[in-house]
């Protein structure tokens, strides 16, 4: 049994066990030359270039919709070094704005807040409606009863950011010009995600309910986090709870698009050790041939997704420095599993998944330390295991190269 929906144009071959290995960038197991140099994981100049070339150039994960579940909730986030605001409007729409007052550019808030109708700047008390429109600018004409011109109020609203809510996540695109009409930008996002949407058509992602979430403050480069997530080779050595080695070996490479790469354990839900004693209600009408499978994908650059029939895991992250990344990990289940009768199962599931992530932390720290050695410029990705990692690194290298002056 091989994974479903592989059509990547790269070609592939099967292992003796019948698993798919794509034909990627690695053509020899003794290249002795890294796709990304060590300085790409340690250098400030390289990090700054990635912020612009990778995180400010297209659609990226920016947070979770449940962070602003109620009208008037406002949460500041930072993407590519830009301060943004996630805002839930009175119309229940989630919007994203640049976190800068239109008068002097002061950040409106650096803390999560709950407001009734307006977001107010503390400097001169300019305030904004939840849809971003300027609501008040006291004493604007140096008169006690200054009236705000409607046209001015429209022109000086908060600058919107192109955004989409998908599967409980918020994605933004900073490449869309602030202040322009952003209508239709979500079409580009849905076109980007179409291969994954088709693959997961049996899953009703509108039914997901948060089981638990946790923040991980990690002293490692963001690319190492992605590469480790896509590294299936390390499972039997680092994660004993996955079960026998045969279960770890039973994995297919999957490339859905340039921006969506990962793998599938076709029998992972049964071949690996169980996360819980009791099964949860499925996330949709899951066909029999997908009940056992586990999908693991990176939606480039910073959404790491893990799907089984009855749960959905997301790790979204924000790179803060060459050696500092903050992960936001959330576990979701179907709304039918949100009741008290499943509370112990949800708790156990989340604890196991958090534990797996914690087991990777010492590895990430050592990988980061190793990038200060010249030996990291002479690494050898292996063709049998590392094609997906190599594809990810190649995308990063291409984007950085394309952005150079």
């Amino acid at each position: 049994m091989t994974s479903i929906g592989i059509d990547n144009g790269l070609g592939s071959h099967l292992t003796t066990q019948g698993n798919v290995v794509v034909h990627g960038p690695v053509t020899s197991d003794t290249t002795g030359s890294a796709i990304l140099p060590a300085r790409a994981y340690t250098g400030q100049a390289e990090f700054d270039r990635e912020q612009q070339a990778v995180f400010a150039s297209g659609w990226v994960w920016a947070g979770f919709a449940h962070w602003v579940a109620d009208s008037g909730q406002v949460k500041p986030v930072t993407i590519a070094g830009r301060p943004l605001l996630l805002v839930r409007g009175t119309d229940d729409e989630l919007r994203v704005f640049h976190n800068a007052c239109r008068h002097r550019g002061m950040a409106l808030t650096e803390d999560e807040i709950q407001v009734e109708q307006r977001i107010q700047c503390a400097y001169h008390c300019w305030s904004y409606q939840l849809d971003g429109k300027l609501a008040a600018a006291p004493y604007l004409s140096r008169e006690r009863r200054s009236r705000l011109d409607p046209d001015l109020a429209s022109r000086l609203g908060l600058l919107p950011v192109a955004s989409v809510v998908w599967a409980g996540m918020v994605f933004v695109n900073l490449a869309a010009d602030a202040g322009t009409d952003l209508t239709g930008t979500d079409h580009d996002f849905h076109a980007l995600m179409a291969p994954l949407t088709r693959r997961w058509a049996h899953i009703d992602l509108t039914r997901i309910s948060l089981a638990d979430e946790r923040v991980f403050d990690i002293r490692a480069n963001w690319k190492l986090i992605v590469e480790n997530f896509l590294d299936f080779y390390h499972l039997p050595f680092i994660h004993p709870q996955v079960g026998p080695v045969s279960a770890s070996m039973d994995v297919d490479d999957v490339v859905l698009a340039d921006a969506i790469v990962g793998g599938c354990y076709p029998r992972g839900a049964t071949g690996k050790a169980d996360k819980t004693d009791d099964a949860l209600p499925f996330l949709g009408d899951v066909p029999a041939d997908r009940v056992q499978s586990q999908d693991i994908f990176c939606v480039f650059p910073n959404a790491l997704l893990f799907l089984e029939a009855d749960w959905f895991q997301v790790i979204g992250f924000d790179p803060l420095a060459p050696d500092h990344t903050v992960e936001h990990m959330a576990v979701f289940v179907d709304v039918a599993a949100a009741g008290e009768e499943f509370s112990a199962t949800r708790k156990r599931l989340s604890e196991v998944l958090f534990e797996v992530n914690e087991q990777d932390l010492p590895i990430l720290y050592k990988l980061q330390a190793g990038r200060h050695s010249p030996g990291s410029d002479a690494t050898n990705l292996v063709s049998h295991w590392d094609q997906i990692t190599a594809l990810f690194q190649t995308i990063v290298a291409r984007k950085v190269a394309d952005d150079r002056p």
Side-chain angles (χ1 to χ4, degrees):
M1 176 180 179
T2 59
S3 60
I4 299 168
I6 299 176
D7 183 16
N8 52 56
L10 295 171
S12 62
H13 69 272
L14 299 182
T15 67
T16 56
Q17 292 81 21
N19 292 110
V20 177
V21 179
V22 300
H23 297 160
V26 183
T27 58
S28 168
D29 294 337
T30 56
T31 59
S33 178
I35 295 173
L36 293 175
R39 66 179 183 276
Y41 299 82
T42 60
Q44 186 64 49
E46 288 75 11
F47 177 82
D48 293 341
R49 187 175 297 116
E50 288 172 352
Q51 289 283 280
Q52 179 61 40
V54 175
F55 288 89
S57 67
W59 290 101
V60 299
W61 178 95
F64 292 113
H66 66 258
W67 287 351
V68 287
D70 300 323
S71 174
Q73 280 191 292
V74 180
K75 182 177 177 62
V77 298
T78 302
I79 301 297
R82 279 79 157 170
L84 309 177
L85 291 177
L86 310 184
V87 180
R88 180 72 67 172
T90 55
D91 56 1
D92 200 39
E93 285 293 314
L94 193 158
R95 297 177 177 87
V96 182
F97 301 102
H98 289 277
N99 187 3
C101 178
R102 294 301 305 283
H103 177 210
R104 297 293 302 277
M106 178 172 166
L108 296 170
T109 180
E110 294 180 295
D111 301 304
E112 297 180 46
I113 58 174
Q114 174 75 50
V115 300
E116 290 296 327
Q117 297 288 336
R118 299 178 180 180
I119 308 167
Q120 182 169 284
C121 177
Y123 199 6
H124 301 99
C125 291
W126 283 31
S127 61
Y128 302 85
Q129 297 176 5
L130 297 178
D131 63 2
K133 183 179 179 180
L134 181 63
Y139 316 133
L140 183 63
S141 61
R142 294 189 76 158
E143 301 291 342
R144 290 182 59 84
R145 298 187 180 277
S146 298
R147 297 187 63 181
L148 185 60
D149 177 78
D151 180 61
L152 186 66
S154 296
R155 287 190 288 110
L156 293 184
L158 296 178
L159 293 178
V161 176
S163 63
V164 175
V165 176
W166 183 84
M169 297 172 278
V170 182
F171 290 83
V172 300
N173 186 350
L174 292 169
D177 290 338
T180 63
D181 184 2
L182 299 178
T183 303
T185 54
D186 58 341
H187 175 76
D188 295 336
F189 173 80
H190 292 298
L192 173 75
M193 297 296 289
L196 188 57
T197 302
R198 288 193 295 268
R199 184 180 177 88
W200 289 353
H202 60 287
I203 297 292
D204 188 352
L205 291 170
T206 66
R207 291 178 56 86
I208 61 174
S209 174
L210 179 69
D212 204 351
E213 65 182 317
R214 187 169 296 179
V215 177
F216 295 86
D217 193 279
I218 302 174
R219 292 290 172 174
N221 186 269
W222 69 275
K223 296 184 293 299
L224 293 176
I225 291 171
V226 178
E227 291 169 21
N228 179 72
F229 183 81
L230 297 174
D231 185 306
F232 310 126
Y233 191 9
H234 80 283
L235 264 65
F237 311 109
I238 305 301
H239 304 298
Q241 65 270 66
V242 302
V245 172
S246 59
S248 300
M249 298 281 285
D250 186 18
V251 60
D252 297 324
D253 293 349
V254 182
V255 179
L256 297 183
D258 277 354
I260 307 174
V261 300
C264 173
Y265 287 90
R267 289 161 288 272
T270 54
K272 295 182 184 179
D274 290 337
K275 305 290 188 299
T276 62
D277 294 330
D278 301 314
L280 293 167
F282 287 171
L283 283 164
D285 187 15
V286 182
D289 63 349
R290 301 301 302 275
V291 168
Q292 297 181 7
S293 67
Q294 294 174 317
D295 272 0
I296 302 174
F297 287 110
C298 168
V299 177
F300 189 87
N302 66 332
L304 309 178
L305 313 182
F306 200 134
L307 179 73
E308 281 198 20
D310 56 350
W311 55 270
F312 177 51
Q313 173 191 306
V314 177
I315 298 176
F317 58 81
D318 180 26
L320 300 182
D323 60 352
H324 189 188
T325 307
V326 174
E327 283 186 350
H328 298 272
M329 178 174 170
V331 180
F332 299 93
V333 296
D334 190 85
V335 291
E340 182 61 30
E341 68 270 31
F342 294 106
S343 61
T345 304
R346 292 195 309 272
K347 185 175 188 296
R348 176 58 183 158
L349 169 65
S350 299
E351 287 175 346
V352 170
L353 296 177
F354 293 147
E355 179 186 6
V356 170
N357 203 52
E358 288 168 349
Q359 287 171 343
D360 284 322
L361 299 186
I363 301 304
L364 291 171
Y365 299 148
K366 291 176 182 177
L367 284 167
Q368 184 66 36
R371 288 305 184 278
H372 291 278
S373 165
S376 289
D377 282 327
T379 52
N380 294 271
L381 295 180
V382 296
S383 61
H384 310 288
W385 282 105
D386 297 325
Q387 299 289 7
I388 298 298
T389 297
L391 285 169
F392 164 76
Q393 292 182 343
T394 300
I395 295 171
V396 174
R398 184 176 68 242
K399 282 187 169 289
V400 170
D402 290 346
D403 190 64
R404 286 181 177 172

